[in-house]
Amino acid sequence: MTKAVHWRRSGYCATNGCVEVARLAGSTGPVIAIRDGTLPGAGAL
């Protein structure tokens, strides 16, 4: 079963976009994913 990823928008947004982050479960511990908030369909960086 796949868990939903909960993206959080950075509080430091500019007029041209924001960075979004999500905490994921990795095999050796938590992993932080980062994506461009203006292109959420592009996936994590």
Side-chain angles (χ1 to χ4, degrees):
M1 179 180 198
T2 304
K3 274 185 117 175
V5 176
H6 298 284
W7 291 96
R8 292 179 43 171
R9 185 161 286 196
S10 168
Y12 299 101
C13 294
T15 56
N16 60 350
C18 293
V19 173
E20 295 180 339
V21 296
R23 179 183 277 181
L24 308 173
S27 60
T28 59
V31 175
I32 302 298
I34 301 170
R35 73 178 182 184
D36 182 345
T38 61
L39 301 169
L45 301 175

